[in-house]
Amino acid sequence: MTVYVDFYQPFKKIVQEKRVSFSFTKANTVTLKELLEEIIVKYPACSEVIAAQDKDNVEKFFRNIAVLRDNNFLLLDCVLEDGDIIKIFPVISGG
Amino acid sequence: MYGYRGKLLEINLTDSSISVKKLDENLLKKYLGGSGLGARLLYDLTDGQTAPLDEENVLIFMTGPFTGTKIPTSGRHAVVTKSPLTGIWAEADVGGNWGYELKCAGFDGILIKGKAVKPVYLWISEVGTELRDATHLWGKDTYEVDELIRKETDSQAVISSIGQGGENLVAFASIMTDGKDGRAAGRGGVGAVMGSKYLKAIAVRGKQRVEVKYPERLKQKIKELAPEIVDKTRMFGKYGTSGGVQGHEEMLNFPLKNWAGERWPEGVEKINGIVMEETILKKQYRCKTCIIGCGRDVEITAGPYQGVNGAGPEYETIGTLGGLCMIDDLEAIAWANELCNRYGIDTISAGSVIAYSMEAFERGILTAEDCDGLQLVFGNEKAMIELIHKIANKEGYLGKLLSKGVRKAAAELGNYAEEFAIHVKGMEFPAHDPRAYNGVALSYATSNRGACHVQGFTHGFEKGFTMPELGIDQPHPRHSVEGKGEFTAKLQDLMCIFDSIKLCKFVIIGGVKLTDITELFNAVTGLNLTNQDLIKIGERIYNLKRLYNVRCGISRKDDSLPPRILTQKRGPNLPPLGKMLNEYYAYRKWDEFGVPTEAKIKELGLMADYPDAVL
Ligand code: SF4
């Protein structure tokens, strides 16, 4: 299965592309956690920008970002589907 | 009682008298401090007939039991009064260093009564309290006043002051604290009330430590909470409140074009906290005892906005002076923000009335002549900046008109101008779209100070936060309707706790829960409250503020949203307000008109009060 990830600043600058596709051999059992693990392996600077000392810690990465699918916020254990478009922002709690 | 000074400084400006009143312990236990205690005082000292800008109105500055301790983000205070913008309950919550300093000077709060005959400022120190002549400061902006008063008093004094906006009684004038690394008591026109009393500033310097009952327990609890707070707010600290602008736009939450716009990705790409960090950010700054540090210190050294040097624009400011006005120049917004801070006017209301006037101009309701030749079209940053000067100085027809706030301005313009005036109870919207979150819709409609996103902070709990102690163990789906009344009411009660004990709501991002707050509270005060006890106090406070508003004529007719928000879709959702409101009233045990029932008033112990305790 393939999911597409739209990166917003500051991640977009790191990734150098707005949309990146991630392919997985298993279908329909991929969780958001697994996707984020892929992301920080492929683009370690994405989690480094949050905390260099914890750059491999996917939970800490997730704590500081907001992840959307169809404009709904996703939790770490959400199962992704083939063709999903996932959007990643810094945590959006401004106010 | 531990965590309190037990003292209220009372200043009567009419006869220049200064006295110290003892705060009754039972009163503190019932209303905690901050805006809770402020509500009790305002309820007892003013009524439905009190004119906000008359001598009889009072202005209350109140810290809470956490202020002055080492609890992270507790360096805060509340400013409470009857609002000249809305004519009802007003509270403004503000960070910085001032509240901390006041507590260290030996007071829980200050009650300002009466009206001086000429400009004065108040100087509070270890030596004593005095009223000083401020004639030479009248007409100066808040940055200038901060420097001048510190020169005259103590270089380490902390100042809360008004600028020309407050002096000129702009209905949404703010009270600024901490000079150019400023924090604003922004909403509801508290600065105009200060200006109406000829009180230019309050300077404080205090050195006494605040005693807590169980220092070791408190230390341990802070040690337990701090790493997680730091960990979960890294992005927030790095990019500030405006780091989320793009996300909010994507969620159709970021306001555009006087709330008529749908999408603007190309605009928000230029006006967010990440761009700020890469361009004009000089350093982070933080309120007293804060370990998050969302404050932005910005500097512009070249170009048309050269000279900006101080607090940078927050998310709400970028939303209103940027998105609502369709201005995509971050430096122009930073300049407009600095002007608002210097003049002492609320950036949210300022951006809102300017965006409103742009729409009125484009619709031909305002003419070029009305606007002194200004081309008031969306996206015109020069016009936006020019209008800030005009509003703060009440200059020309348009400056005077807009200085009254959007509700009054629209009513004066007549025709169909009220259709696109975006406010609740006279308070302009902050930068969150109620169509994006039903909880925000209900919260705006029912918040005691008018449209407000932080009196319920519901959007946070419709995105990702949880509060299991309130039965919110999952984020509430943002477009859901069922259960939204109870959800919103519970969070409003919780937020009353934050606003009264004085704790920044951003610690919620850092994972702080009600149980943590209760433990901190008990360690500070030595009391032994449960979560339920604390929430009951929050509910009492929320209801008391509502009762104040009921006395001012507020009922269900006012718990509404503007036609544009209820009828024009942005994305898939229109908030079904009536249905949510019915559920909300039923949960709160308010009657069909939105008035707390006698049974509820009795249950909350609001009848058997202590009105004479401090007077
Ligand atoms: S998070 Fe921001 S607003 Fe809250 S106390 Fe810290 S610096 Fe102040």
Side-chain angles (χ1 to χ4, degrees), chain B residues 2-34:
Chain B
Y2 285 93
Y4 295 93
R5 294 301 190 193
K7 283 195 269 179
L8 180 74
L9 184 62
E10 185 177 313
I11 311 293
N12 190 330
L13 292 169
T14 303
D15 60 11
S16 303
S17 64
I18 298 172
S19 56
V20 178
K21 298 283 156 76
K22 192 172 171 295
L23 281 165
D24 182 276
E25 211 173 290
N26 289 317
L27 197 73
L28 297 175
K29 284 181 186 162
K30 247 179 139 172
Y31 299 102
L32 301 176

Side-chain angles (χ1 to χ4, degrees), chain A residues 8-13 49-51 53-54 60 63-64 68 71 73 87 89-95, chain B residues 231-232 234-235 238-239 241 243-244 246-248 250-251 269 274 278 316 432 463 465 478 506 509:
Chain A
Y8 290 77
Q9 297 298 19
F11 309 117
K12 189 174 151 194
K13 205 168 181 181
V49 74
I50 294 170
Q53 71 278 21
D54 291 320
K60 293 203 172 182
R63 283 171 166 200
N64 278 276
L68 292 178
N71 269 339
F73 290 94
K87 298 177 177 186
F89 307 92
V91 73
I92 54 173
S93 304
Chain B
D231 218 48
K232 287 186 166 172
R234 286 185 197 282
M235 291 298 252
K238 189 169 165 73
Y239 299 119
T241 54
Q246 283 184 291
H248 286 297
E250 186 73 37
M251 300 288 291
E269 206 167 39
I274 293 106
E278 288 166 352
E316 302 298 330
H432 299 272
K463 284 189 306 204
F465 307 148
R478 64 195 182 115
F506 292 150
I509 307 168

Side-chain angles (χ1 to χ4, degrees), chain B residues 73 76 95-96 183 236 285-287 290-295 504 506:
Chain B
T73 79
R76 311 188 70 77
R183 289 293 182 192
F236 197 62
Y285 70 87
R286 58 193 71 231
C287 308
C290 180
I291 52 177
I292 302 170
C294 73
C504 177
F506 292 150

Side-chain angles (χ1 to χ4, degrees), chain B residues 534-590:
Chain B
L534 216 46
I535 279 297
K536 202 70 193 164
I537 298 174
E539 191 188 358
R540 178 183 300 130
I541 292 167
Y542 200 86
N543 275 268
L544 179 60
K545 293 173 187 173
R546 177 71 177 190
L547 285 169
Y548 185 82
N549 281 347
V550 168
R551 216 161 55 169
C552 298
I554 293 294
S555 64
R556 183 173 183 133
K557 70 183 187 316
D558 308 288
D559 292 344
S560 192
L561 292 166
R564 173 166 287 169
I565 303 299
L566 289 174
T567 60
Q568 288 180 27
K569 276 194 173 177
R570 181 183 184 192
N573 190 48
L574 280 178
L577 185 62
K579 207 170 166 200
M580 294 192 292
L581 211 47
N582 287 343
E583 194 198 287
Y584 175 88
Y585 287 170
Y587 177 78
R588 282 223 175 272
K589 295 206 180 79
W590 292 357

